[in-house]
Every structure is written in structure tokens, then in C-alpha cells.
């Protein structure tokens, strides 16, 4: 996926999907992100479930290297909307 190309920083969903989950059971969301600039000078992302941030912000630190990121959550409902959000405004 690719984010918005606005010059304004803010929270923008670059990917989201509503998925079935098991209430009360911990779930882990994992992704791999490609660094576009060394030292996190590129985009900054966060993971959210039902519009609540679960991961803290992160960015790939090495240029042209995929880096793994994961976050866990325990839902209270049988479906949630998981989203990857761009918080830097950089695509």
C-alpha cells in the first residue's frame, strides 16, 4: 500500500479491513514495511483497532530494507476494523 501524499501530518488510513475475531482472546497483527529513507526520515505509521492506536508509531530505519512490526490486542467484540495509519503525511 502507499499513503496519502499530503504535506500535512495527521492520521490517515492507508489500509483497513473489518475482520472476524474471537472476543477475549489476544490477537497479533504483523506487517513488513519497506524503508524509503535511512534513519526513519521517510514515512511514520501506526496500527489501530477500531480507531484506537495499538502499536505506537514506527518507521523502517534502514533504506530499502523490509522491517517487521507487530502489535497485539484483545477484542471485546466479534469483529473489529484493523487499520494501518500514516501519521507523517509522507507517502
Amino acid at each position: 500500500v502507499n499513503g496519502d501524499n499530503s504535506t500535512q501530518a495527521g492520521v490517515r488510513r492507508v489500509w483497513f479491513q473489518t475482520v472476524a475475531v474471537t472476543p477475549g482472546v489476544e490477537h497479533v497483527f504483523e506487517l513488513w514495511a519497506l524503508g524509503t529513507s535511512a534513519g526513519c526520515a521517510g514515512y511514520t505509521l501506526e496500527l489501530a483497532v477500531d480507531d484506537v492506536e495499538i502499536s505506537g508509531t514506527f518507521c523502517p530505519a534502514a533504506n530499502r530494507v523490509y522491517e517487521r512490526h507487530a502489535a497485539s490486542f484483545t477484542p471485546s467484540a466479534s469483529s473489529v476494523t484493523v487499520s494501518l495509519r500514516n501519521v507523517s503525511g509522507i507517502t
Side-chain angles (χ1 to χ4, degrees), residues 29-79:
F29 185 84
E30 177 180 286
L31 65 96
W32 290 84
L34 177 66
T36 57
S37 183
C40 290
Y43 61 87
T44 303
L45 302 171
E46 69 182 13
L47 294 172
V49 172
D50 291 337
D51 290 324
V52 175
E53 176 271 317
I54 63 167
S55 67
T57 59
F58 65 95
C59 63
N63 190 24
R64 302 295 176 210
V65 174
Y66 279 97
E67 294 181 24
R68 179 187 173 274
H69 186 73
S72 63
F73 63 97
T74 303
S76 57
S78 60
S79 70

